Amino acid sequence: MMNRFTEKLYQKFPYPLQNISVSLYGLKLRRQRYNRSFQFMLEKLKRSEWESKFEILEHQNRNAIRIIHHAYETVPFYKSWYDEHGVNLKQIQNIDDLKNLPILKKDYIKKNPEQFISSSFQKGKLIRTLTSGTTGTPLEVFQTQESINLQWAVFWRARARFGLTIHDKHLMFGARIPVTQSHQSPPFWRHDYFNNRVYISTNHISEKTLPFIIEYLNEHEFDFYVGYPSAIYHLARLIKENDNRIFNRPKIIVFGSDAISSSQSELIKTVFGVPLTEFYGMVEFAGTMGHCEHKNFHVDHEHCYIEHSAINGSGSQKLIMTGWGNDAMPFIRYDVGDYGTPVESDCTCGRQTPIFSSIDGRMEDYITTPDGRKLTGMNQVLKYGRNVLEIQLHQKHLHEIEFNIVPDIYFNEDDKKPLIREFRKRAGNQIQIKFNLVNEIKKTSKGKFKAVISEIDS
Ligand SMILES: [Zn+2]
């Protein structure tokens, strides 16, 4: 992640220099993610996804027990929390016994971040990432190098099911802002040469920029598109409404991050004329699932166990995750705030891991700007919320946005600045910003939290 100084400098660079700077950052990521250990893990994962039910269960039992003991012995929070709840670890013999452990909520971590890091690791040597804040509570996550490699190996194993490799050229509809708002002429994309990918500035996708984007896509080959489905949908809808065509099709589109409705997916499929695949994961790396060829989400049993508990009258169930892929900061029986629809029968693809037909609850609204842009991935702004327990973006009127914040005791005026800065960076200056400090943020009628709410008709 760039700091404020390098970011300001980057914004002043001409296009070729910005490409070099994006690529150099890409080189750093490439070295961190795709080393020999990654390659080794990926090959191993491609074999273990075909394990039998017995092997899968055996693997989950052994690793869940290991991480619980590791957490109790080296993570201060778990030691005192389990003691407080009278947990007897001897009684936890397999994954069925996990239900005897209390459920971990995000705000516990938020209140005690230092207490969650295992004493087996030096904090300074760990890799720090911020969660995107889709559930309204941004977190700092610390990972080991090994965990980063495993996480990326799990991502790429899912992509490999569709013939993709890390060398394939891709177009990213991501959260980063490669092009500043003041920049009103093409190119609206920047290159990361080391990872063979191009970042499109999703905040620049509009009726005005559409001809340039279409020309670029039709003249450049991509193996796949990847990123926020809501951003890809926004582009697809503009293409359809303007009766344009994409001739140069990628092989597949990979969705990550947020969710969209099935009618929106259908529109993307029609406009781009290619299959879609989805991956479910989170920065905490507590649980991940990837689509198979038959469009079911398979639990990545090599690093997690996912419990689900029914909510009244709905097929969709609350997901509780236990992950053992990151010894530096283990998440045990973690309520991540997402929901999924489990399928009891086996998948016809032949993999024996538990499956879900859909993941629900990550549906975010767009923020609409007065100049007609639909901004996606705006939950990314919320990760800059400091000293907040919960945070939400709410748009009631076209010219105004409200930040609803449940502050902690340290919250002050200065904490508004990064939120304003990050919002302006994406939306520009046409929208007024209002802050509401509240005791509680209202959930939807189904009891879910929505990080971004818009009441503007789309
Ligand atoms: Zn399958």
Side-chain angles (χ1 to χ4, degrees), residues 103-302:
I103 289 181
L104 177 65
K105 302 265 191 190
K106 230 171 205 180
D107 54 336
Y108 301 166
I109 310 161
K110 187 83 194 158
K111 283 176 189 155
N112 314 279
E114 296 292 320
Q115 299 280 307
F116 270 88
I117 300 169
S118 162
S119 59
S120 309
F121 301 91
Q122 265 180 295
K123 192 177 162 191
K125 290 195 174 160
L126 297 170
I127 298 151
R128 173 183 170 270
T129 325
L130 283 173
T131 64
S132 70
T134 37
T135 50
T137 311
L139 284 185
E140 255 186 333
V141 176
F142 291 88
Q143 274 182 281
T144 61
Q145 175 60 49
E146 244 192 335
S147 165
I148 297 276
N149 295 140
L150 179 61
Q151 194 165 16
W152 285 92
V154 167
F155 286 163
W156 282 99
R157 187 247 313 257
R159 293 175 184 180
R161 291 172 186 158
F162 302 90
L164 302 176
T165 76
I166 56 165
H167 306 295
D168 287 333
K169 185 161 181 184
H170 50 293
L171 181 66
M172 289 271 306
F173 291 76
R176 290 173 62 193
I177 309 161
V179 184
T180 47
Q181 241 350 279
S182 54
H183 201 97
Q184 287 303 321
S185 56
F188 301 109
W189 41 84
R190 297 293 181 265
H191 296 259
D192 170 359
Y193 298 111
F194 288 109
N195 290 292
N196 206 13
R197 62 183 174 177
V198 175
Y199 277 94
I200 186 159
S201 177
T202 54
N203 298 330
H204 277 84
I205 301 174
S206 71
E207 200 116 44
K208 226 166 70 194
T209 60
L210 188 66
F212 302 109
I213 294 173
I214 289 184
E215 191 188 323
Y216 179 72
L217 295 184
N218 277 332
E219 284 177 5
H220 295 82
E221 299 281 339
F222 285 98
D223 292 300
F224 68 102
Y225 297 169
V226 59
Y228 278 101
S230 48
I232 302 173
Y233 168 71
H234 178 42
L235 176 62
R237 195 172 136 175
L238 284 175
I239 292 174
K240 191 176 156 69
E241 283 170 358
N242 290 277
D243 211 13
N244 288 119
R245 290 277 163 82
I246 297 289
F247 303 106
N248 216 354
R249 294 170 175 177
K251 289 180 207 152
I252 193 164
I253 296 176
V254 182
F255 286 172
S257 307
D258 60 353
I260 56 171
S261 69
S262 52
S263 62
Q264 292 174 323
S265 296
E266 280 309 309
L267 182 98
I268 295 177
K269 232 158 108 183
T270 321
V271 167
F272 292 103
V274 296
L276 313 173
T277 179
E278 260 180 84
F279 189 84
Y280 168 82
M282 81 280 314
V283 173
E284 296 95 313
F285 198 37
T288 60
M289 297 183 238
H291 258 177
C292 70
E293 305 81 345
H294 294 254
K295 290 197 157 299
N296 278 315
F297 284 98
H298 282 263
V299 173
D300 295 314
H301 75 279
E302 295 89 347

